[in-house]
Amino acid sequence: MKNTQPPRRTQAERTRASREKIIRSATETFAQKGFRGAKMADIAKAADLTEPGLLHHFPSKTHLLMEVLKERDRVDSERMQVTLQKNGYRFLDAQAELVEHNQTVPGLVQLFNLLVAESISPDHPAHEFFIERYQRERGQCIQAIALAQKNGEVRSDLPAETLVILMFAMMDGLQVQWLMEPDKIDMAGLFRVMMDMLKGKTGQ
Amino acid sequence: MKNTQPPRRTQAERTRASREKIIRSATETFAQKGFRGAKMADIAKAADLTEPGLLHHFPSKTHLLMEVLKERDRVDSERMQVTLQKNGYRFLDAQAELVEHNQTVPGLVQLFNLLVAESISPDHPAHEFFIERYQRERGQCIQAIALAQKNGEVRSDLPAETLVILMFAMMDGLQVQWLMEPDKIDMAGLFRVMMDMLKGKTGQ
DNA sequence: CATAACTTACCTAAGACAAGGTAAGTAAGT
DNA sequence: ACTTACTTACCTTGTCTTAGGTAAGTTATG
């Protein structure tokens, strides 16, 4: 009677599965409570582990947070590539679609929204991470928008840098109101209104 | 030799002075660390008190936070009245001046920015406070903007409600980037660009 | 290919130290 | 005499982390 073999897996498999499960529950918990509010015990329990079991895979809470963030950035940038292609490399349209997608993952939106706010303190573990992230993203988008301006897809009376800052600001700001009252705020629709303004349409 | 009389004050004065000092240091600490990250000990020390000394004036950390927020709202709404008047009740211009003023008080901007993000969690002590606050503010602004639309000061191709949401979103979103890199982001200038868009000027 | 030596993935127990809050008392003001 | 503004000492709880051990999986060797 050797019923003892349902999870007969190789070590590498177990490790990968565990780490994935931890990242998933850490993502959720950080999203709901932020870094400071999240407890290792909660994350561990959600991953069916004890606290030390969790710490075997990630040596500290800070390490865990950074892994969560890096993983998200990896996934998101892949998604962006695909979205860009799908929209014929029209940058503003791709961004609008990103916002639409964000509406399906409120947890992740909240994760970044809260962590960005927390991380403005210089002693926050993700402080550097987010500053670099904004700089990088803005840099890339400026290029894309300058190109779109040349093609006449985007209004040219304002510098690309300005447009990028405004676009990100609108994205972040709409997220706040949407997270507070998801049913009241049509985040993607409102973002498209802004994108239209940046394209040069006034309607007036 | 009765040198012992520098702080010879009446009880009412001492109480008021103490409470003010506490509110001030609590505001700073909450701004830097958020509600969960702020420690009563830090706040107490910054107010030259022991922890129980602080708790004599505010019975709990949560009470203290709520007092801080209410106090801020009181001061800010007074300021808004004055600003509105000064701008001949042109609503968008008054908002732009508010953003300009905000650039002189980064601590307070960070306070609200961080607490709003934290408070999206339903179990946060300020959860209701901020939801009500956004609803109230939006309600008031919709009226003001609808009026401005009738006067031709603001574009009329979009409903007032949309414009209000976009305006607040831009305000919140610019704050994030400005807090991260104050020297790089001209928050007030960029906000005026947005206000111009909402007035109907395209420049294109 | 079998078994010893090692590594990995955990667990229980407990340390270490915050952090919010209470109890009880003192000194000053009314 | 009574209230107010505190203080010191302390309690409780929570939270990240370490110590030390067990059992399963992996590699090296005879």
Side-chain angles (χ1 to χ4, degrees):
Chain A
M1 273 268 202
K2 334 164 60 176
N3 266 344
T4 332
Q5 60 176 62
R8 255 299 176 78
R9 293 178 297 183
T10 126
Q11 250 182 7
E13 277 172 342
R14 284 176 68 189
T15 302
R16 210 171 49 81
S18 261
R19 284 184 58 105
E20 264 174 35
K21 210 169 175 184
I22 291 169
I23 293 276
R24 217 177 315 132
S25 46
T27 302
E28 267 172 49
T29 310
F30 284 138
Q32 285 227 341
K33 311 272 185 163
F35 177 68
R36 301 197 234 249
K39 279 126 209 172
M40 291 297 268
D42 298 344
I43 298 171
K45 196 189 282 179
D48 291 314
L49 280 176
T50 59
E51 265 177 274
L54 193 168
L55 285 165
H56 170 71
H57 293 282
F58 301 91
S60 78
K61 194 184 177 185
T62 299
H63 281 82
L64 178 54
L65 172 68
M66 296 316 292
E67 290 304 312
V68 166
L69 292 177
K70 278 188 222 157
E71 170 68 12
R72 283 306 340 148
D73 262 5
R74 248 184 0 86
V75 172
D76 289 349
S77 91
E78 261 174 51
R79 162 175 295 279
M80 200 27 164
Q81 285 310 317
V82 176
T83 307
L84 255 175
Q85 217 161 10
K86 211 168 68 181
N87 284 272
Y89 294 94
R90 282 186 310 282
F91 187 70
L92 296 193
D93 293 342
Q95 292 291 330
E97 193 175 321
L98 167 64
V99 172
E100 212 158 87
H101 169 256
N102 279 343
Q103 280 191 153
T104 67
V105 285
L108 295 179
V109 173
Q110 197 176 337
L111 173 72
F112 275 86
N113 187 60
L114 179 45
L115 286 178
V116 163
E118 274 189 337
S119 76
I120 284 168
S121 251
D123 60 341
H124 192 280
H127 181 70
E128 312 291 332
F129 176 88
F130 278 112
I131 288 187
E132 275 169 35
R133 185 170 179 270
Y134 268 92
Q135 284 176 348
R136 174 167 31 89
E137 296 279 316
R138 274 203 305 256
Q140 287 174 1
C141 292
I142 285 172
Q143 308 243 329
I145 287 203
L147 194 69
Q149 284 178 320
K150 266 186 201 149
N151 299 344
E153 296 166 21
V154 173
R155 62 193 288 173
S156 299
D157 59 328
L158 291 169
E161 205 178 338
T162 299
L163 298 180
V164 169
I165 296 173
L166 292 180
M167 188 188 73
F168 280 136
M170 185 56 70
M171 206 183 292
D172 290 345
L174 283 176
Q175 283 175 3
V176 172
Q177 294 182 62
W178 174 70
L179 286 170
M180 281 197 161
E181 295 163 289
D183 302 327
K184 212 170 188 171
I185 305 289
D186 173 17
M187 181 165 68
L190 289 160
F191 188 74
R192 278 188 201 279
V193 170
M194 180 69 185
M195 290 302 94
D196 284 347
M197 288 190 198
L198 297 188
K199 284 176 185 168
K201 305 177 189 170
T202 47
Q204 177 104 326
Chain B
M1 271 269 198
K2 339 163 59 178
N3 265 346
T4 333
Q5 62 176 65
R8 249 307 173 74
R9 293 177 298 182
T10 126
Q11 250 181 7
E13 277 173 343
R14 284 177 68 190
T15 302
R16 211 171 48 81
S18 259
R19 284 183 58 103
E20 265 175 35
K21 209 168 177 184
I22 291 169
I23 293 276
R24 217 176 315 133
S25 48
T27 302
E28 266 171 51
T29 310
F30 284 139
Q32 284 230 342
K33 312 270 185 163
F35 176 69
R36 300 197 235 249
K39 279 126 208 172
M40 291 296 268
D42 298 344
I43 298 171
K45 195 190 281 179
D48 290 315
L49 280 174
T50 59
E51 255 178 282
L54 192 169
L55 285 165
H56 171 69
H57 294 282
F58 302 91
S60 78
K61 194 184 178 185
T62 298
H63 282 83
L64 179 54
L65 172 68
M66 294 318 290
E67 291 303 312
V68 166
L69 291 177
K70 278 188 222 157
E71 170 70 12
R72 283 303 345 145
D73 261 7
R74 248 183 1 85
V75 173
D76 289 349
S77 89
E78 262 175 50
R79 162 175 294 278
M80 201 25 163
Q81 285 309 316
V82 176
T83 308
L84 255 175
Q85 217 162 9
K86 211 169 69 182
N87 284 273
Y89 294 94
R90 281 187 310 282
F91 186 71
L92 295 193
D93 292 342
Q95 293 291 329
E97 194 175 319
L98 167 65
V99 173
E100 213 158 86
H101 169 256
N102 279 344
Q103 281 191 151
T104 67
V105 285
L108 295 180
V109 173
Q110 197 176 336
L111 174 73
F112 275 86
N113 187 61
L114 179 44
L115 286 178
V116 163
E118 272 190 338
S119 76
I120 285 169
S121 250
D123 60 341
H124 192 279
H127 181 69
E128 311 292 332
F129 176 89
F130 278 111
I131 288 187
E132 277 168 33
R133 186 170 180 270
Y134 267 93
Q135 283 176 347
R136 174 168 30 89
E137 297 278 316
R138 273 203 304 254
Q140 287 174 1
C141 292
I142 285 173
Q143 307 244 328
I145 286 202
L147 194 69
Q149 284 178 320
K150 267 185 201 152
N151 297 344
E153 295 166 23
V154 173
R155 63 194 287 174
S156 300
D157 61 326
L158 291 169
E161 206 177 339
T162 299
L163 297 180
V164 169
I165 296 173
L166 293 180
M167 188 188 73
F168 280 135
M170 185 54 71
M171 206 183 293
D172 291 346
L174 283 176
Q175 283 175 5
V176 172
Q177 294 182 63
W178 175 70
L179 285 170
M180 281 195 162
E181 294 163 290
D183 301 329
K184 212 170 188 171
I185 305 290
D186 173 16
M187 180 165 68
L190 288 161
F191 188 73
R192 278 188 202 280
V193 170
M194 181 69 186
M195 291 303 94
D196 284 347
M197 288 190 200
L198 297 188
K199 284 176 184 168
K201 304 178 190 169
T202 46
Q204 179 105 325

